[in-house]
Amino acid sequence: LKIEKPRGTRDFLPDEAERRRGIEQVMREIAESYGYREVSTPTFEHLTLFTIKSGEDIVKEIYAFKDKSGRELALRPELTAPVMRMFVNECSVMPKPLRFYYFANCFRYENPQKGRYREFWQFGVELIGSDSYLADLEVIVLAYNIMRNLNLDFILNIGHVGLLRKLLEDVDEVRYHRIMRMIDKKDLQGLERYLNSEGLEGYLESINELIRLKGGTEIIDHAREIIPDFDFSHLQNLCKGLEKLQIDYNLDFSIVRGLDYYTGVVFEAFAKKGLGAQNQICGGGSYRLSHLFGGSDVPSTGFAFGFDRIAEICEIEPRAIESILVASTAGMELKALEIAEKLRKLSKRVLTDVMERNLKKQLSFANSIGARFAVIVAEKEFKEGKVILRDLEKGEQVVIRIGDLLKRLNREL
Ligand code: ATP
Ligand code: MG
């Protein structure tokens, strides 16, 4: 009986796990350089946390289950709601703004395909407590700089859900979200049919005009013609800041995001190649959630990277770490262990034999794993306080004092 992994999940062997760790490390370091600090929340939460306002898609895809006491729980499909729940429960009196980042696995019952899994990882940030354009600016710049540092080839599109909200202010919540969802899915035929069937056909033209606007800041003037009483100053200030910081972006008023809780600026980044249809690698925006979880109404901005999609296209390789095998002749095993312990100061991979193999087999294993050096602990040399240091790449060896070994390897590696 062979047990396979569940559909939509993956195993990561060391090469891939290390590569992913290297990418994660870049994300962490840059987020920390902006003052963001890591938070960690439970893998499962009460189901209601995700059904209050996450939108139809997420609810449809949720991994929900009852525990043995009948509690309705769910594996987290994303981390914004959990972080805001944590904020309301634990952090609401902390000085604002709060800058949090997370790196964690998420679960969605999706149709698995390239770039779409049932267990996947998100790296994201939440900047809590400000509704200034400066907060949006910081979060967008952070996302942008991480993607640049990872050498990703991407485009960044920025919109503002406030525009459609304003345009549709007389439409009730339920219809508003239906309309937004169809715009998110780019289902324009469905949208037309829906508006007609609900007696909302009067909105069709202005919606279509608005969501077709894409480009530089000049489209703000066009949008103003469609929605004259919307205050564009936040968006204009943001654009000014982005230009000042030389961020390459497009305005795109069709971005509404799949989740229902966004209220202001929204943005998405797309990989230009390598991912096919699943090419959205980042989504974010400003939102209000905390009042839904029993807190006061605190404005926040955040984003989440689709870590697996980024890992798929990111070409950075983690620094290779050399291996050293400390081999031993019969009876010298524990001496080899002692020497190996000392060599572990080098921050390399220091291995010893655990198979009770003879020396020849130990050395052939060292070769098979691509070890750079073998230290051979043999009785004769050891009696003189020495070991054999073999350079497996050059095929040369020297007899060296045990006391000099660490220094020598440090110089060589
Ligand atoms: P999509 O439209 O691709 O389904 P989404 O709108 O559901 O994305 P978000 O909820 O905004 O995605 O999640 C943020 C990011 O997480 C996405 O931009 C994407 O890169 C990534 N992501 C979402 N779902 C998955 C998944 N099932 N597998 C891998 N990555 C995912
Ligand atoms: Mg989705």
Side-chain angles (χ1 to χ4, degrees), residues 61 108 110 116:
E61 292 166 357
R108 295 184 191 175
E110 303 221 51
R116 193 177 292 288

Side-chain angles (χ1 to χ4, degrees), residues 140-196:
I140 293 173
V141 169
L142 172 54
Y144 184 88
N145 283 339
I146 289 175
M147 293 186 286
R148 282 295 293 268
N149 265 277
L150 291 170
N151 285 330
L152 302 179
D153 193 8
F154 65 95
I155 52 169
L156 171 63
N157 295 336
I158 300 175
H160 194 309
V161 289
L163 273 68
L164 279 161
R165 216 175 247 277
K166 185 81 192 169
L167 186 67
L168 300 167
E169 66 186 337
D170 296 328
V171 177
D172 64 82
E173 274 296 283
V174 176
R175 291 198 177 91
Y176 167 76
H177 287 305
R178 278 290 287 274
I179 295 170
M180 294 299 263
R181 187 144 308 113
M182 287 187 256
I183 296 172
D184 184 42
K185 293 261 177 294
K186 313 218 177 306
D187 178 12
L188 300 186
Q189 282 173 355
L191 178 67
E192 182 168 353
R193 247 179 284 126
Y194 182 69
L195 292 175
N196 284 332

Side-chain angles (χ1 to χ4, degrees), residues 98-112:
L98 290 163
R99 290 179 168 91
F100 293 148
Y101 77 87
Y102 56 80
F103 176 66
N105 50 351
C106 301
F107 307 85
R108 295 184 191 175
Y109 195 79
E110 303 221 51
N111 215 354

Side-chain angles (χ1 to χ4, degrees), residues 207-265:
I207 291 177
N208 268 331
E209 255 181 79
L210 188 69
I211 65 178
R212 248 184 265 127
L213 291 179
K214 286 169 197 164
T217 44
E218 74 284 350
I219 70 165
I220 291 179
D221 290 331
H222 299 164
R224 210 192 301 277
E225 285 163 26
I226 306 167
I227 321 168
D229 45 357
F230 183 77
D231 179 4
F232 284 87
S233 57
H234 183 108
L235 194 59
Q236 280 172 315
N237 287 331
L238 174 67
C239 292
K240 234 181 268 166
L242 291 167
E243 262 134 58
K244 192 106 199 139
L245 295 168
Q246 298 178 328
I247 304 297
D248 216 352
Y249 72 98
N250 312 294
L251 285 177
D252 178 347
F253 295 138
S254 72
I255 304 176
V256 296
R257 311 280 303 120
L259 305 174
D260 285 349
Y261 47 71
Y262 290 98
T263 50
V265 167

Side-chain angles (χ1 to χ4, degrees), residues 108 110 115-117 120 122 257 280-283 304 306 309:
R108 295 184 191 175
E110 303 221 51
R116 193 177 292 288
Y117 309 99
F120 64 102
Q122 288 191 342
R257 311 280 303 120
Q280 192 189 309
I281 52 175
C282 176
R309 295 181 189 178

